[in-house]
Structures are given as C-alpha cells and as structure tokens.
C-alpha cells in the first residue's frame, strides 16, 4: 500500500497541472467550447510525451517526441479542435500527422470518426498503443504520406507552403480544412471551407509547425 502513495501524489500533481493548463492557457485565451474543454481535461496528455518528464506535458509549449517531431502546444491543439467543434458528432475527420496521437485523442473524445495518417511508422505504432490503452482509438490510422489525402479531411499538424490540391478536392461540401501554411519561420493557421465553387479562407493566427514531409 505504501508504494502507492508516491504514485498518487504524482498523479494529483499532474491533474493539477492539467487544470492549470486549461484555465491559464486555453480558457484564458478564449477557447470555451465544451467538447474541447472536456476532452482536454479528461485526456492524460502526459502519457503522450516522453515519460521522463511528465509535468512538462502541461507546459505552454510544443515538446520533442523524437524523430525531429513535436507534440503541438496545448493551446494550438485546443484552437484547431475548436475550429472543428461545430461539426456534428460522428463527422468524418482526416488528420494528417498523428505524431504523439494527442490531437487524435482529442478529436476521438469529441465524438468524431477520425481517420489519421502518419508517415513515421514508429510514431504511428506508439500513438496507436496509447490511444488503445485510453479507449480512444481512431477509426483508422494509416502509415502513409498525408499529402495525398484520403476521402474526407481535417486538421493538418504539419506545415506546407500551400494546400495540397488533393485535400481541397477531397473536402466535402460542409467540410473544413484546418492547416498551418507558410515557410520555415512564419506560418499562419488557416481555416478553409467550400462556398459553392470557391474556397473561403479564414486566417487565424501565426503558428510554428514542423514541415510536412515527402513520403
Ligand atoms: N498532432 C501531432 C503533431 C505531430 S508533428 C501531435 O500533437 O503530436 C507532425 C507530424 O506529422 C509528425 O508526426 C510527422 O511524422 C508527420 N508528418 C510529416 N509529414 C507527413 C506526411 N507527408 N504525411 C503524414 N504525416 C506526416
């Protein structure tokens, strides 16, 4: 029984850190959507990062996950998720670049049918294991180049200079693309929706993402 105490102490410290992340980084910056808040308050983000420093998981920054990739900053995950939060439960989402699987977990928790693509097999494998342990497995996660897309789509977690044409072609009438667009040091988080034959673009904010790689 005694050996359980340090674990419980550590656990409550992580829960506290998660609460602070939500109030100081997410709600304080204007994200109030209930589906996003409940997903991010219930999902143990520390399980998706390097186990050596779980408390860092709740810091206001992106973190290294190996293979030159990062888990996105909590606020950016919240923002991208909130841009999709008006889509009804059960909507099909294509996520490009699952990485740690944390954004995948948030979207699955929000009730979406998530199809994810990840280029690096080891990251995909690890993400799938954690997601399954958490009961948050996506509908599918394929190992492949997301620049080609899949039948439907959504947030892209890696930047590119312009939207791959396949993503726009595959976007459904009521669908939304959320993606970071731009060069190495400056990108803008862009939301795109189809309006008749036009693509409506809404520019949200400056972001910094790792690049979309060629598969
Ligand atoms: N949402 C993830 C972010 C991961 S970083 C998280 O928060 O953990 C970007 C991810 O995109 C990396 O895992 C990288 O391997 C993946 N990636 C880069 N180019 C890709 C491509 N062309 N197709 C699929 N995945 C890609």
């Amino acid at each position: 029984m005694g050996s359980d105490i340090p674990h419980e102490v550590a656990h409550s410290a992580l829960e506290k850190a998660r609460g602070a992340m939500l109030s100081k980084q997410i709600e304080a910056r204007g994200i109030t959507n209930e589906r996003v808040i409940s997903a991010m308050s219930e999902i143990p983000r520390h399980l998706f990062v390097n186990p050596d420093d779980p408390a860092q998981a709740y810091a206001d920054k992106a973190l290294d996950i190996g293979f030159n990739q990062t888990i996105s900053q909590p606020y950016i995950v919240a923002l991208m998720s909130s841009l999709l939060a008006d889509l009804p439960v059960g909507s099909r989402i294509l996520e490009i670049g699952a990485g740690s699987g944390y954004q995948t977990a948030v979207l699955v928790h929000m009730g979406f049918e998530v199809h994810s693509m990840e280029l690096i097999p080891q990251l995909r494998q690890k993400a799938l294991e954690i997601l399954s342990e958490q009961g948050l497995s996506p509908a599918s996660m394929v190992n492949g180049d997301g620049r080609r897309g899949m039948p439907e789509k959504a947030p892209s977690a890696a930047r590119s200079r312009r939207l791959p044409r396949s993503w726009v072609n595959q976007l459904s009438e009521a669908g939304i693309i959320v993606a970071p667009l731009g060069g190495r040091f400056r990108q803008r988080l862009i939301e795109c929706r189809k309006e008749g034959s036009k693509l409506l673009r809404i520019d949200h904010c400056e972001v910094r993402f790792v690049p979309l790689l060629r598969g």
Side-chain angles (χ1 to χ4, degrees), residues 23-196:
S23 59
K24 294 186 187 148
Q25 300 171 33
I26 293 170
E27 288 164 327
R29 292 178 186 148
I31 294 179
T32 53
N33 181 274
E34 272 189 21
R35 287 162 79 195
V36 177
I37 299 295
S38 106
M40 292 185 71
S41 59
E42 283 169 35
I43 297 166
R45 178 172 159 98
H46 58 276
L47 299 180
F48 293 82
V49 308
N50 186 335
D52 291 343
D53 198 0
Q56 281 289 309
Y58 299 102
D60 193 11
K61 58 184 181 187
L63 297 170
D64 186 9
I65 54 169
F67 304 93
N68 288 326
Q69 304 305 328
T70 55
I71 175 172
S72 299
Q73 180 189 359
Y75 172 68
I76 296 299
V77 174
L79 177 60
M80 292 176 85
S81 306
S82 73
L83 296 177
L84 300 170
D86 287 341
L87 295 172
V89 166
S91 297
R92 196 180 300 161
I93 304 266
L94 175 60
E95 178 193 39
I96 309 296
S100 67
Y102 179 68
Q103 171 79 79
T104 320
V106 172
L107 294 170
V108 171
H109 193 290
M110 288 170 74
F112 293 127
E113 178 189 322
V114 182
H115 297 269
S116 187
M117 300 187 76
E118 172 52 55
L119 195 59
I120 300 176
Q122 295 93 325
L123 288 177
R124 170 185 174 271
Q125 193 53 42
K126 200 166 162 217
L128 279 177
E129 280 164 22
I130 302 167
L131 289 162
S132 152
E133 279 163 25
Q134 294 303 308
L136 291 169
S137 296
S140 70
M141 187 185 286
V142 299
N143 178 217
D145 185 351
R147 291 176 310 149
R148 296 188 204 106
M150 257 195 222
E152 304 282 336
K153 65 194 49 291
S156 164
R159 68 171 158 83
S160 59
R161 286 201 178 271
R162 52 181 63 89
L163 281 182
R165 182 172 294 276
S166 58
W167 297 0
V168 177
N169 292 342
Q170 291 170 18
L171 186 65
S172 71
E173 276 313 310
I176 304 171
I177 296 177
V178 177
L181 291 186
R184 179 151 178 207
F185 297 109
R186 271 167 174 265
Q187 302 127 39
R188 307 289 306 177
L189 188 65
I190 305 290
E191 172 187 353
C192 293
R193 295 167 182 262
K194 268 188 186 164
E195 272 210 345

